[in-house]
Amino acid sequence: MSEKVSFPAKNGSSATGEIVWPKQGGKAPAVVLIQEWWGLNDHIRSLLDRLGAAGFVALAPDLYHGTVTKDPTEANRLMTELDKARAHDEIAGAVSFLAGHERTNGKVGVIGFCMGGALAFAAAANIPELAAVVPYYGVPSRAPDYSRVKAPILAHFAARDGWATPAAAEAIRKELAERGQPMELHVYDADHAFANDTRPEVYNPEAAKIAWERSIEFLRQHLG
């Protein structure tokens, strides 16, 4: 079960979020979980719990600072109006906080869904300390400088996604491959947000299970 946490953003301002701890003792790998456009809601908390159960220290920065919605129009507004520079600073701050925490082994990855997937790609380009990046069905509206990516990327996309298209993901993969930067891309016969088990209209249990298992294996491989 997650608990509230405060940590310094990259720019020195105060940031908040929720964190979970693995049951086992000793130092553990760490993961920053980046929210969907709905906010830091119960679904994100359930993903934190799953990461904790898998043996990770996991922290979800609250990029909307307390605001949560179930309305897609409101979610779109919140995402559109998000201060991207502030969000990037808070994500980078979360990475640094985890990297230096006494409960972690110093290795930190990022996993993000929807809006969080796009921010995960941006983090891969802007946070050199990252050891692994896992974006789910999200692409930055303004491409970051992918030449700066150091961490391996495992990306999950949906064949029937008209927002974060497989073609956009493949373009990123191809660009990275031309420079020898590793990105593994999986496209599932599913819809956008197929891993969100609180949305039965799009949730695909089989695809979600496979993607999650691949993600945990990937994170353990690069952060363990």
Side-chain angles (χ1 to χ4, degrees), residues 25-183:
K27 295 183 180 294
V31 178
V32 174
L33 168 62
I34 311 178
Q35 69 192 51
E36 295 181 314
W37 69 349
W38 311 106
L40 205 172
N41 58 13
D42 287 342
H43 173 59
I44 297 300
R45 293 187 183 95
S46 75
L47 294 175
L48 280 175
D49 288 341
R50 292 175 69 184
L51 287 166
F56 299 95
V57 177
L59 191 165
D62 185 358
L63 302 182
Y64 288 170
H65 310 110
T67 299
V68 176
T69 186
K70 295 182 179 179
D71 178 71
T73 300
E74 175 73 358
N76 184 64
R77 182 187 67 78
L78 289 167
M79 180 179 70
T80 302
E81 295 178 357
L82 178 68
D83 184 336
K84 298 293 196 305
R86 181 179 181 182
H88 293 321
D89 279 346
E90 291 176 350
I91 293 166
V95 171
S96 295
F97 173 79
L98 290 177
H101 199 281
E102 62 182 7
R103 282 295 311 277
T104 78
N105 64 5
K107 295 182 179 180
V108 185
V110 162
I111 184 170
F113 297 77
C114 181
M115 178 187 80
L119 290 169
F121 269 121
N126 295 319
I127 307 176
E129 301 89 349
L130 284 173
V133 178
V134 184
Y136 276 71
Y137 35 75
V139 173
S141 56
R142 180 175 296 178
D145 182 359
Y146 287 115
S147 69
R148 299 188 298 181
V149 172
K150 294 183 178 180
I153 298 173
L154 170 67
H156 304 289
F157 279 71
R160 296 188 296 274
D161 194 334
W163 179 67
T165 65
E170 174 58 25
I172 297 172
R173 189 204 65 77
K174 184 178 179 181
E175 178 184 343
L176 291 172
E178 289 173 351
R179 287 191 292 266
Q181 297 160 290
M183 173 175 157

Side-chain angles (χ1 to χ4, degrees), residues 136-137 155-162 164 166 185-195 200-211 214:
Y136 276 71
Y137 35 75
H156 304 289
F157 279 71
R160 296 188 296 274
D161 194 334
L185 172 62
H186 294 280
V187 178
Y188 303 83
D189 184 18
D191 299 293
H192 180 77
F194 66 82
E201 71 277 13
V202 293
Y203 178 53
N204 186 312
E206 181 179 0
K209 180 176 184 293
I210 294 170
R214 285 170 170 163

